[in-house]
Amino acid sequence: QVQLVESGGGLVQPGGSLRLSCAASGRTFSSYAMGWFRQHPGKEREFVATIGTSGGSTFYAGSVKGRFTISRDNNKNTVYLQMNSLKPEDTAVYYCAAREIGVINTSPHEYGYWGQGTQVTVSS
């Protein structure tokens, strides 16, 4: 079992940056693949980024590639999402998720543990 708590969301102007953090409980964090997803109002949850157990494997949605960076610190049981060059269409609730199988995956159905979400609003 793992519990996830996101933080770092907020209001930012277009072109700005934010860093989201996701703190995980439990001693097995390093064995989980982690992912970030987002959900726009009235739409399904969509994949943003995923990272493997050691941080050596990552994959991004095309809409964020080159602007967002996922990373993890297994000593701190934390996964991060650095978001640069933010656009209004990045506005959404962002969720982190953990997958017991430690291989990266883009499907939300493959992740068994979820945080409560943090709101990111990009607006001038």
Side-chain angles (χ1 to χ4, degrees), residues 1-2 25-32 72 77 100:
Q1 288 267 346
V2 62
S25 65
R27 293 176 290 178
T28 58
F29 172 77
S30 61
S31 69
Y32 290 82
R72 66 190 296 163
N77 281 13
E100 287 191 78

Side-chain angles (χ1 to χ4, degrees), residues 7-121:
S7 61
L11 173 65
V12 62
Q13 292 186 343
S17 298
L18 279 177
R19 188 175 82 155
L20 305 183
S21 299
C22 174
S25 65
R27 293 176 290 178
T28 58
F29 172 77
S30 61
S31 69
Y32 290 82
M34 300 297 295
W36 284 98
F37 295 79
R38 66 187 182 186
Q39 190 164 19
H40 300 95
K43 295 190 175 182
E44 293 187 353
R45 200 164 295 186
E46 67 177 23
F47 166 75
V48 175
T50 180
I51 188 166
T53 55
S54 66
S57 298
T58 59
F59 188 77
Y60 297 90
S63 59
V64 308
K65 191 173 184 179
R67 300 188 298 121
F68 291 11
T69 302
I70 189 171
S71 62
R72 66 190 296 163
D73 185 336
N74 288 338
N75 291 323
K76 295 182 178 180
N77 281 13
T78 302
V79 63
Y80 305 97
L81 185 68
Q82 177 67 43
M83 305 186 294
N84 298 329
S85 302
L86 283 160
K87 305 175 181 180
E89 51 264 43
D90 294 318
T91 296
V93 178
Y94 284 71
Y95 298 89
C96 75
R99 183 178 192 236
E100 287 191 78
I101 300 174
V103 177
I104 60 174
N105 195 285
T106 63
S107 172
H109 304 292
E110 292 290 324
Y111 291 77
Y113 303 96
W114 293 83
Q116 82 288 351
T118 185
Q119 176 71 47
V120 171
T121 302

